[in-house]
């Protein structure tokens, strides 16, 4: 690989443009970065030519660094620690299982909003978080002590993606191998919203924990050169809209188009009108669009943001490198060739929300009440025992300003705070049935809201800072007021959760929320004031002021000039520098936590346990045989999310996981969540299809975690069926529709089915990350041929299934055996995309393949 100097500096860079010749000019900027990376990680740089060819061939990709969070980082670290122990037991050197690149793990997914509308809510929630998660945190600190390249950012520091955007991301940085060589920053993360970092011109996307483990072990990850969809930004946004409104329009457009396994790249005459914070809101929601990432090429806005966030020492180097490497987006590059172009006219975008259960279900704000109203829903009210207020259908039961998606955007947050200020000035109040909370993704947000004097108004409306974590967006919304919960349950009240998050899947936010609505932070405040979604927020009063006069939304919405003035005055480089200089000291209890070094000792725990799929690894690989006599565990429809497959949120006492924990002496108030207990296989297997809103076509009359055991025909919980099948040594299959596995990158959505005995999933299509997770767990991801579905085959769950895999592991044949003695054969597409994936699947998954390599003395 040839290198060339960067201007007059002492830095050099890989000459990927020289390798590609004039062909690089037609490449989208995202593929230029991919080509540069492929050139450095292939012999003679030849893989860059495969990027130039754009035929979908696999090229090696290796990120500069990895980003983990605690919910998915802990399962990955448990796998690694367990492999160390197993390797030592079998005579290998445990220290060969190590981290080959820098890793940042941010503890941000485990805080629940147990306290709110209280000036001490943050400290109370942090104390409670540490109390119930001490075992998890001790494990993470033990890992940090054993792995020198692992840095853990303690609980209370913020959300990983916002920290990545505001601090960790460098756009351009020195190579680990040779500090005089500059490379584009790149980051893969065990969270599907990792593409938020694309806003800084940094290539990166979400991966499963298992794929992260392969990278930690020193492997590159194969990337099939994707199609690139150009998102042409034109026009100028009105002063009334937010970046949230833009992102929801993009979600609607791209989901309709279908962009799974593609890169999306922003360009056009309106691109410069989007700040990096706006771009980050849009890029963050890449998994909601279905795309791998949403790349935002480097330009003057990128440099401005690096300066604004305290990274001035990197701006000259970044600009010089990007200009020299043809990665600087200066005007409209007409030579760039996109596979398709989607128009995004900012001037035609108005205020929006989305719901009731999908981010792409965008609704013009004026139509929200009609579209979100349930069939036959009226303004029914029911009393609340012991209180002087009532509650009813359509009431807002949760109003949460939450999520890195929107709280990383200062204009969003300042606009919300000004709406609160103007409402308080009129004497308005939030109805008592609304649970309000503010959980920014960065402590910088709290600093500028406090210093501008705006936090006081948010406090008055109940939006005190309750967390610096994912919280409600991740399903950690916490309990409602007990009297409200009792009234909702007793009267089947159909309330709604309103959040400034990125996901509103059914059952995700709170079990008692019948629907969930995504809205911008200022609209969250507005809906909290109104208290219901049954009224039109654009034409009816939000409430009354102290004089009894009605108050309309337009009366308290601030001007764009006032928002700009506050942002420019209070969002300064000093705030970012001071915040991140002290990030390791935000939690004294973390710093006081002591752990031992040496061989990790596995103590009995319902948080951290030695995983069976590591314990059962055989030293030698065995040939894959046909899958015979499989029974369906569930038959599902379209858009099954990872929340359906293995939920992240609340564990209820009556659930299978709740019953298990109570039998171990864990009180319901200490259950924590499915997500925080992903390190315990006994809880993980009980999370399998444990979503309260699951619709299984084998039990069409029931909603929730139900299925039918065959050939008996008994209807029971999914976990009890799993127990029965495990006792019978009966292997299982899952049948699905389109977009199976959409949502998060959680690998427990593959580990849970594996623990249940599932060895194949047959669907019409898969989401990218979940398909990869299935492969890495040794579960076959199979697709029906065009025109064939579970419905055309008339599958009802009474059948048995044989799956014969061809020797090349590129296709398969499904034979369905029916109870009447008939059978039907159908070809299937085995979705293994390259030779690395085929080798991984043949080995029984990533962990068996990696372990055998370590056992043989490989690194």
């Amino acid at each position: 690989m040839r290198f060339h100097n960067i201007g007059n500096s002492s830095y050099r860079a890989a000459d990927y443009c020289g390798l590609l010749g004039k062909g690089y000019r037609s490449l989208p900027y995202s593929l230029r970065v991919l080509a540069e990376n492929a050139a450095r990680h292939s012999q003679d740089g030849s893989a860059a030519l495969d990027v130039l060819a754009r035929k979908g061939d696999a090229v090696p990709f290796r990120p500069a660094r990895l980003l983990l969070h605690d919910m998915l980082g802990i399962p990955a670290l448990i796998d690694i620690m367990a492999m160390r122990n197993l390797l030592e037991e079998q005579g290998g050197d445990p220290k060969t299982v190590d981290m080959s690149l820098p890793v940042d793990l941010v503890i941000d997914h485990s805080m629940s909003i147990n306290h709110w509308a209280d000036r001490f809510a943050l400290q109370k929630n942090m104390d409670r978080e540490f109390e119930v998660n001490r075992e998890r945190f001790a494990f993470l600190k033990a890992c940090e002590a054993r792995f020198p390249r692992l840095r853990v950012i303690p609980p209370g520091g913020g959300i990983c993606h916002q920290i990545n955007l505001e601090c960790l991301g460098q756009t351009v940085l020195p190579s680990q191998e040779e500090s005089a060589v500059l490379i584009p920053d790149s980051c893969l993360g065990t969270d599907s919203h990792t593409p938020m970092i694309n806003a800084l011109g940094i290539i990166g996307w979400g991966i499963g924990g298992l794929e992260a483990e392969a990278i930690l072990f020193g492997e590159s990850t194969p990337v099939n050169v994707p199609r690139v969809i150009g998102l042409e930004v034109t026009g100028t946004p009105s002063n009334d809209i937010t970046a949230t409104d833009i992102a929801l329009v993009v979600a609607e457009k791209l989901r309709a188009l279908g962009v799974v396994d593609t890169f999306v790249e922003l360009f056009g005459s309106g691109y410069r009108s989007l700040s990096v914070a706006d771009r980050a809101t849009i890029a963050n929601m890449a998994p909601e669009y279905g795309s791998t990432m949403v790349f935002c090429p480097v330009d003057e806005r990128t440099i401005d943001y690096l300066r604004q966030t305290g990274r001035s020492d990197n701006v000259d180097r970044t600009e010089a490198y990007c200009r020299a490497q043809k990665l600087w987006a200066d005007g409209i590059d007409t030579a760039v060739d996109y596979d398709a172009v989607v128009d995004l006219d900012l001037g035609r975008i108005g205020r929006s929300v989305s719901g009731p259960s999908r981010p792409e279900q965008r609704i013009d704000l004026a139509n929200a009440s009609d579209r979100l109203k349930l069939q036959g829903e009226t303004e029914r009210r029911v009393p609340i025992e012991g209180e002087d207020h009532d509650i009813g259908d359509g009431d807002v039961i949760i109003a949460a300003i939450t999520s890195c998606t929107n709280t990383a955007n200062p204009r969003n947050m300042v606009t919300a705070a000004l709406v609160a200020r103007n409402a308080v000035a009129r004497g308005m109040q939030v109805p008592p049935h609304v649970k309000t909370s503010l959980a920014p993704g960065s402590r910088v947000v709290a600093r500028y809201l406090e210093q501008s004097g705006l936090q006081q108004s948010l406090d008055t409306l109940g939006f005190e800072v309750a967390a610096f974590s994912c919280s409600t967006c991740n399903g950690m919304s916490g309990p409602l007021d007990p009297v409200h919960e009792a009234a909702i349950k007793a009267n089947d009240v159909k309330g709604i959760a309103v959040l400034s998050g990125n996901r509103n899947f059914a059952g995700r936010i709170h079990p008692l929320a019948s629907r969930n609505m995504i809205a911008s932070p200022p609209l969250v405040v507005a809906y909290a004031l109104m208290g219901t979604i049954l009224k039109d927020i654009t034409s009816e009063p939000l409430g009354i002021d102290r004089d009894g006069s009605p108050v309309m939304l337009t009366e308290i919405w601030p001007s764009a000039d006032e928002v700009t003035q506050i942002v420019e005055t209070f969002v300064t480089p000093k705030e970012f520098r001071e915040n991140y200089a002290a990030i390791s000291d935000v939690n004294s209890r973390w710093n006081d936590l002591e752990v031992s070094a040496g061989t990790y000792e596995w103590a009995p725990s319902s948080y951290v346990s030695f995983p069976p799929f590591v314990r059962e690894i055989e030293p030698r690989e065995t040939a894959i045989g046909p899958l015979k006599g499989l029974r369906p565990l569930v038959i599902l429809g379209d858009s099954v999310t990872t929340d359906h497959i293995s939920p992240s949120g609340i564990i209820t006492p009556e659930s299978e996981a709740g019953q298990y924990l109570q039998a171990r002496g864990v009180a319901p108030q200490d259950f924590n969540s499915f997500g925080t207990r992903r390190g315990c296989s006994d809880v993980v297997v009980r999370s399998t299809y444990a979503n309260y809103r699951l619709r299984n076509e084998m039990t069409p009359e029931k909603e929730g975690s139900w299925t039918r055991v065959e050939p008996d025909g008994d209807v029971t919980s999914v976990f009890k069926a799993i127990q029965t099948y495990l006792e019978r040594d009966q292997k299982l299959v899952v049948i699905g529709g389109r977009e199976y596995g959409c949502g998060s990158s959680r690998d427990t959505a593959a580990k849970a089915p594996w623990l249940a005995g599932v060895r194949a999933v047959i669907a019409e299509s898969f989401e990218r990350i979940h398909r990869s997770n299935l492969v890495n767990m040794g579960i076959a991801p199979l697709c029906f041929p065009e025109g064939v579905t579970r419905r055309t085959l008339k599958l009802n769950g009474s059948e048995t299934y044989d799956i014969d895999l061809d020797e090349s592991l590129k296709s398969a044949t499904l034979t369905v055996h029916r109870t009447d003695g008939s059978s039907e054969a159908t070809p299937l597409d085995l979705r293994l995309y390259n030779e690395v994936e085929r080798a991984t699947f043949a080995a029984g998954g990533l962990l068996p393949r990696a372990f055998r390599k370590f056992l043989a003395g490989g690194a």
Side-chain angles (χ1 to χ4, degrees):
M1 184 70 218
R2 291 192 309 168
F3 291 81
H4 64 94
N5 292 330
I6 300 297
N8 296 321
S9 73
S10 59
Y11 290 112
R12 298 183 301 132
D15 186 17
Y16 83 99
C17 291
L19 182 67
L20 300 181
K22 294 182 180 180
Y24 81 84
R25 296 176 181 174
S26 68
L27 286 180
Y29 289 88
S30 51
L31 291 189
R32 296 181 194 186
V33 181
L34 183 64
E36 189 277 344
N37 193 290
R40 285 187 289 110
H41 294 105
S42 60
Q43 188 173 9
D44 301 325
S46 56
L49 297 173
D50 291 327
V51 178
L52 180 63
R54 299 175 73 171
K55 293 181 179 179
D57 294 330
V59 298
F61 177 80
R62 185 160 171 80
R65 54 194 177 87
L66 281 179
L67 181 70
L68 314 179
H69 62 69
D70 55 305
M71 272 196 185
L72 286 180
I74 285 178
L77 292 172
I78 286 174
D79 292 347
I80 294 170
M81 198 76 88
M83 286 181 65
R84 275 192 162 192
N85 287 128
L86 188 63
L87 195 62
E88 188 172 22
E89 289 175 13
Q90 298 193 15
D93 180 3
K95 291 184 179 180
T96 58
V97 182
D98 205 347
M99 299 183 180
S100 62
L101 77 175
V103 180
D104 289 294
L105 187 148
V106 182
I107 302 175
D108 63 0
H109 271 59
S110 58
M111 183 181 285
S112 179
I113 306 299
N114 292 297
H115 302 275
W116 65 96
D118 175 350
R119 65 192 181 102
F120 300 112
L122 174 62
Q123 190 57 54
K124 290 178 180 178
N125 284 329
M126 288 182 66
D127 289 344
R128 178 61 177 161
E129 177 189 29
F130 214 96
E131 179 183 340
V132 297
N133 289 283
R134 186 180 179 86
E135 288 179 50
R136 300 172 69 243
F137 295 166
F139 176 76
L140 286 174
K141 201 151 194 184
C143 290
E144 190 177 33
R146 288 162 172 79
F147 299 106
R149 287 190 157 182
L150 173 65
R151 174 175 58 177
V152 178
I153 295 177
I159 299 175
C160 62
H161 306 304
Q162 199 156 337
I163 293 171
N164 199 20
L165 182 75
E166 295 178 353
C167 174
L168 302 178
Q170 297 299 309
T171 306
V172 171
L173 75 172
S175 166
Q176 291 181 65
E177 292 75 21
E178 188 177 348
S179 60
V181 173
L182 292 182
I183 62 172
D185 190 4
S186 55
C187 175
L188 299 186
T190 58
D191 188 275
S192 55
H193 295 101
T194 302
M196 187 172 190
I197 201 62
N198 300 160
L200 273 178
I202 296 173
I203 195 170
W205 53 84
I207 56 175
L210 291 160
E211 189 173 347
E213 291 171 45
I215 294 168
L216 287 173
F217 296 154
E219 298 183 10
S220 59
T221 187
V223 175
N224 290 79
V225 179
R227 297 173 68 243
V228 181
I229 308 300
L231 188 61
E232 184 173 10
V233 184
T234 59
T236 303
S238 76
N239 292 332
D240 290 335
I241 72 162
T242 67
T244 314
D245 301 307
I246 300 172
L248 295 181
V249 169
V250 175
E252 180 183 43
K253 283 176 173 283
L254 295 185
R255 270 294 171 187
L257 176 66
V259 293
V260 173
D261 289 327
T262 69
F263 288 177
V264 172
E265 182 169 301
L266 271 59
F267 77 104
S269 59
Y271 178 57
R272 286 189 178 184
S273 69
L274 297 173
S275 67
V276 166
D278 293 338
R279 297 170 188 180
T281 299
I282 297 166
N284 175 282
M285 292 188 68
E288 281 65 59
Y289 316 148
S291 64
T292 301
M293 66 174 186
V294 177
F295 192 72
C296 304
V298 177
D299 64 358
E300 291 174 358
R301 289 282 208 166
T302 316
I303 299 300
D304 291 343
Y305 186 80
L306 289 172
R307 286 197 183 99
Q308 181 191 35
T309 51
R311 287 168 282 185
S312 295
D313 56 348
N314 195 33
V315 297
D316 291 341
R317 181 174 69 186
T318 295
E319 182 169 350
Y321 176 89
C322 290
R323 287 187 182 278
Q325 293 289 83
K326 313 303 180 187
L327 299 176
W328 184 268
D330 194 3
I332 301 174
D333 192 341
T334 56
V336 173
D337 181 20
Y338 294 106
D339 291 284
V341 172
V342 176
D343 175 63
L344 181 66
D345 185 348
L346 300 178
R348 299 182 64 183
I349 294 175
R351 292 177 186 157
S352 300
V353 295
S354 78
S357 60
R358 302 281 297 173
E360 68 269 23
Q361 293 168 331
R362 190 194 66 81
I363 307 169
D364 289 338
L365 187 60
N367 298 328
S369 57
D370 287 339
R371 291 273 300 277
L372 290 171
K373 186 180 296 184
L374 300 175
Q375 187 173 5
E377 189 169 36
T378 63
E379 296 186 24
R380 175 178 69 108
R381 313 299 300 174
V382 299
I384 298 175
E385 186 175 354
E387 302 290 336
D388 60 0
H389 63 274
D390 56 15
I391 196 167
D393 293 336
D395 276 4
V396 176
I397 59 174
I398 290 175
I401 301 175
T402 180
S403 173
C404 54
T405 310
N406 289 295
T407 68
N409 192 305
R411 294 193 69 86
N412 274 357
M413 297 305 293
V414 169
T415 303
L418 288 172
V419 168
R421 183 204 64 183
N422 295 342
V424 170
R426 296 283 295 270
M428 299 182 72
Q429 296 179 335
V430 171
H433 62 258
V434 183
K435 176 178 180 176
T436 50
S437 63
L438 169 59
S442 165
R443 285 177 172 260
V444 175
V445 177
R447 292 168 73 107
Y448 66 68
L449 289 178
E450 188 65 40
Q451 291 175 11
S452 64
L454 293 175
Q455 184 59 52
Q456 183 177 351
S457 297
L458 287 164
D459 291 349
T460 301
L461 295 184
F463 288 98
E464 283 95 346
V465 174
F468 294 106
S469 67
C470 302
S471 63
T472 301
C473 185
N474 188 50
M476 302 290 281
S477 57
L480 306 179
D481 187 303
V483 295
H484 295 154
E485 287 203 1
I488 292 170
K489 290 178 180 178
N491 298 279
D492 193 25
V493 172
K494 305 295 187 183
I496 186 169
V498 180
L499 69 153
S500 64
N502 46 51
R503 288 196 177 131
N504 54 343
F505 299 149
R508 177 182 177 90
I509 307 305
H510 194 284
L512 297 182
S514 67
R515 65 216 110 153
N516 305 306
M517 183 173 76
I518 295 175
S520 65
L523 287 180
V524 171
V525 176
Y527 272 105
L529 290 164
M530 188 171 234
T532 179
I533 51 95
L534 297 186
K535 296 179 180 178
D536 179 3
I537 200 169
T538 65
S539 64
E540 298 183 63
L542 299 181
I544 58 173
D545 64 13
R546 64 172 57 88
D547 299 324
S549 300
V551 180
M552 306 298 291
L553 177 63
T554 53
E555 297 177 59
I556 61 172
W557 196 274
S559 71
D561 289 342
E562 185 176 16
V563 173
T564 299
Q565 186 269 325
I566 291 173
V567 169
E568 291 180 349
T569 303
F570 294 101
V571 184
T572 66
K574 177 175 176 287
E575 301 305 322
F576 289 93
R577 284 195 299 268
E578 290 181 355
N579 178 72
Y580 287 109
I583 195 70
S584 297
D585 299 321
V586 297
N587 195 311
S588 60
R589 296 183 69 172
W590 168 266
N591 291 336
D592 293 340
L593 190 61
E594 295 183 358
V595 295
S596 60
T599 302
Y600 184 75
E601 300 293 335
W602 299 86
S605 171
S606 55
Y607 277 114
V608 177
S609 65
F610 200 110
F613 38 81
V614 173
R615 176 63 64 194
E616 294 176 16
I617 293 175
E618 296 291 340
R620 296 182 179 178
E621 184 175 322
T622 56
I624 294 179
L627 300 170
K628 298 289 188 181
L630 303 180
R631 290 277 184 190
L633 178 60
V634 290
I635 298 179
L636 305 170
D638 296 337
S639 301
V640 170
T641 73
T642 49
D643 277 305
H644 290 112
I645 302 168
S646 179
S648 176
I650 294 169
I651 299 173
T652 60
E654 65 274 11
S655 68
E656 295 288 354
Q659 294 293 311
Y660 166 79
L661 291 172
Q662 289 176 89
R664 290 177 60 91
V666 180
Q669 64 267 25
D670 296 329
F671 281 177
N672 215 336
S673 68
F674 278 113
T676 56
R677 293 189 183 270
R678 283 180 186 153
C680 175
S681 295
D682 287 323
V683 174
V684 170
V685 71
R686 287 167 171 82
S687 77
T688 313
Y689 302 103
N691 189 289
Y692 313 108
R693 305 292 182 186
L694 185 75
R695 286 291 184 181
N696 178 8
E697 295 176 5
M698 291 174 65
T699 54
E701 71 285 354
K702 284 182 169 287
E703 180 182 53
S705 187
W706 299 96
T707 194
R708 201 174 68 237
V709 175
E710 293 292 351
D712 317 50
D714 298 333
V715 174
T716 185
S717 72
V718 170
F719 179 68
K720 284 189 171 60
I722 290 169
Q723 285 182 307
T724 299
Y725 287 135
L726 288 174
E727 290 170 1
R728 297 175 181 176
D729 195 25
Q730 172 67 62
K731 297 305 179 188
L732 304 172
V733 63
V734 167
I735 309 296
R738 298 189 306 272
E739 298 177 349
Y740 182 87
C742 52
S744 83
S745 60
R746 70 191 65 159
D747 51 11
T748 46
K751 288 176 175 176
W754 189 94
L755 290 167
V758 174
R759 294 298 177 264
V761 178
I762 309 173
E764 293 173 55
S765 65
F766 289 94
E767 290 286 281
R768 177 184 62 86
I769 302 176
H770 184 63
R771 184 205 62 82
S772 173
N773 283 332
L774 291 174
V775 173
N776 283 322
M777 279 306 296
I779 297 175
L782 298 148
C783 279
F784 292 115
E786 189 70 28
V788 177
T789 70
R790 69 197 185 283
R791 288 179 173 154
T792 64
L793 292 174
K794 298 181 180 178
L795 304 179
N796 62 28
S798 64
E799 312 87 2
T800 60
Y801 300 73
D802 294 343
I803 300 172
D804 292 293
L805 308 173
D806 79 345
E807 291 184 5
S808 67
L809 293 181
K810 294 182 179 179
S811 64
T813 300
L814 168 69
T815 304
V816 179
H817 300 282
R818 306 184 190 280
T819 54
D820 63 4
S822 64
S823 62
E824 182 177 0
T826 302
L828 298 175
D829 180 11
L830 180 56
R831 291 296 173 93
L832 304 175
Y833 288 167
N834 48 62
E835 290 307 315
V836 173
E837 288 194 347
R838 281 184 274 277
T840 297
F841 181 75
L846 170 73
L847 296 176
R849 178 172 65 79
F851 179 79
R852 291 169 191 138
K853 181 179 177 181
F854 287 124
L855 190 61

